[in-house]
Amino acid sequence: MNAATQRTTVCARATVLQRVPLLLHTPPVRVGRQIQCAAAAAEATEVQLLNNLFEDLCKHCSIDTSAVRLQQSADAAAGVGLFASKDTSKGGTILRVPRSLCIIIDNAISSLTIPTGNWPRLSQGLMHEEALTWDLLQALALMDATAGDGDQFWELYADHFYQQPEQLTLPMCWPQQLLKELQHPTLVKAAEQQQARLRSLFPPEYMQPIDEGLPSYLQWAFACVRSRALQLGPQAFGMVPFVDIANHAADPNSDIRGVQATAGSNSSSDSQAKQQQAYVELIALKDVMAGQEVTISYSGLAGYTNQRFMAQYGFVPSQGNMADRLELSVPDSLQGATLRMSYLEETLGSSLILQAAQGKNPYIFAALKSLPITADDAQPTAATASAASAPGADSIASEAISVDSSSADSDNVARGMGLTATKQEKELATALLQQIEAEVETCSTSLREDEELLQQLQQLAAAAAADEAAGTDVRLQAAVRYRVERKRLLQACKVLLALVIRD
């Protein structure tokens, strides 16, 4: 989106928000910092303009940006991210933001940290007859800021650094026709429940769509909070400007750290005041070299399933997610039944199992973790161990676990050569396979068709970006990417179960 279009959208947003009624009839008053931004050169790109604004805002707030800058991420779907502009050693501070600039709710001590301002919608929420959760309260604060009813810094920051309503890829912001593109009823139902929850808590005007096919401003604000808020303590969550631009990585090079205010004398000097202030810091978990993207983990060590990633952040990791899972249930008649790990290891080859555990084939790993598998004491026979280590053995197994939709029907499936599947294992595998096939049959497109469509959408988006023209709907692209990743996992599970059944 070019700068002129963005400014028009910003003005329109503020105008509409000002028409949203308040239960507190307090006249809107703008209180906050007067922010002056340097004019960017006309030939500067959109990312350069954004980086200029980033530096100007940070400078105004006395935030050191010598170690970081904004840049387009290598993953086009991730958009703009934080990049190191100089080397930072492990444990070093990359970015430090004063807590006084943040919007933080700490339920453990019932505290609210927010810049000085009127914040009428937030005040209304605090007096709501039903206690609102932290994310809803912060959404109301974000609506205040964008309407010019809160803090001027946050008005400017949200307008330029948060996604526009038409760019939000969280399903809870989508209309019905887009939700259907997910081809996953469970995720669709969760999005509809979120929408219903918002409608039940707020006046109808709060859920009035901005335009046809777009979310309401409450949905927009709530989605921004859910996807950008950082956990700063056991029950403390905050909107932390600048730091929240960092993108996700499964193996991040940075993390968030809170620095408490230090006790000091009654000196009123600026230097003394800065030393006593509390901060939120972005610190290096490992050595970060200049030019590297600065990333954090949105999901923690355990990771999130793709369903949670999509619902909370509006994206899924591409090329597999080791933490992803399918929701499969064991029939009552087979309660307690499991598949033996020793049999699957012998069938697939131990090296292929090891590669999956190392993250080299996340689809196999996620498929194995989705199935009811137990370890046992059975050891592969000598002949099996020799065959598994023979040249080409793992390539056959790899072909069997291909995510291509034709793999399940291939005759080149790997076979166990010492252990055999029991009758109960075959019955269990058949029951689970029927569940997977039932979901696949409800999809209106195949995996192959989705992969081709995703490639076309990505090419169109790249061409539009090069020509500065209107591209494809990023929400549709996110939906197709989600169903591609889910169908790849479905296919991996399907092939694993087929190996058991055909033994």
Side-chain angles (χ1 to χ4, degrees), residues 379-395:
Q379 299 295 323
T381 64
T384 300
S386 175
S389 61
D394 283 336
S395 64

Side-chain angles (χ1 to χ4, degrees), residues 133-211:
T133 55
W134 65 269
D135 45 6
L136 289 171
L137 292 173
Q138 290 186 347
L140 294 174
L142 194 54
M143 290 176 69
D144 282 333
T146 310
D149 294 326
D151 172 70
Q152 194 171 0
F153 164 82
W154 272 100
E155 179 184 0
L156 186 59
Y157 185 80
D159 283 340
H160 289 274
F161 291 94
Y162 285 1
Q163 289 174 302
Q164 300 296 319
E166 65 273 13
Q167 297 172 323
L168 277 174
T169 52
L170 281 72
M172 60 153 291
C173 292
W174 295 359
Q176 276 297 319
Q177 61 267 30
L178 263 177
L179 286 176
K180 293 177 182 178
E181 295 293 342
L182 292 165
Q183 297 183 10
H184 186 196
T186 302
L187 182 55
V188 171
K189 182 179 179 180
E192 292 172 339
Q193 289 175 338
Q194 280 280 32
Q195 294 171 354
R197 177 193 176 208
L198 295 179
R199 281 193 294 269
S200 69
L201 290 172
F202 297 99
E205 295 83 356
Y206 276 65
M207 287 295 287
Q208 184 66 31
I210 299 167
D211 204 345

Side-chain angles (χ1 to χ4, degrees), residues 251-271:
D251 182 23
N253 55 24
S254 305
D255 199 6
I256 309 301
R257 177 177 66 187
V259 178
Q260 297 300 319
T262 59
S265 66
N266 294 326
S267 170
S268 59
S269 68
D270 289 343
S271 60

Side-chain angles (χ1 to χ4, degrees), residues 212-223:
E212 184 178 356
L214 296 182
S216 67
Y217 278 111
L218 175 60
Q219 286 174 283
W220 169 83
F222 186 65

Side-chain angles (χ1 to χ4, degrees), residues 276-296:
Q276 295 178 27
Q277 209 172 150
Y279 293 91
V280 177
E281 292 185 333
L282 185 62
I283 60 170
L285 293 176
K286 58 186 77 172
D287 292 345
V288 180
M289 302 296 105
Q292 280 188 305
E293 182 167 7
V294 178
T295 57
I296 59 176

Side-chain angles (χ1 to χ4, degrees), residues 325-406:
R325 299 290 184 269
L326 295 180
E327 311 85 8
L328 300 174
S329 59
V330 177
D332 292 340
S333 59
L334 292 170
Q335 284 300 315
T338 61
L339 305 175
R340 289 167 297 155
M341 188 65 209
S342 59
Y343 170 76
L344 291 172
E345 184 176 0
E346 184 174 7
T347 302
L348 298 174
S350 57
S351 62
L352 188 62
I353 297 291
L354 180 61
Q355 289 175 11
Q358 293 173 337
K360 297 178 181 178
N361 196 322
Y363 296 109
I364 298 180
F365 184 87
L368 289 169
K369 297 293 285 186
S370 297
L371 300 175
I373 297 174
T374 55
D376 60 320
D377 297 329
Q379 299 295 323
T381 64
T384 300
S386 175
S389 61
D394 283 336
S395 64
I396 296 175
S398 297
E399 182 178 353
I401 307 299
S402 165
V403 296
D404 187 289
S405 58
S406 62

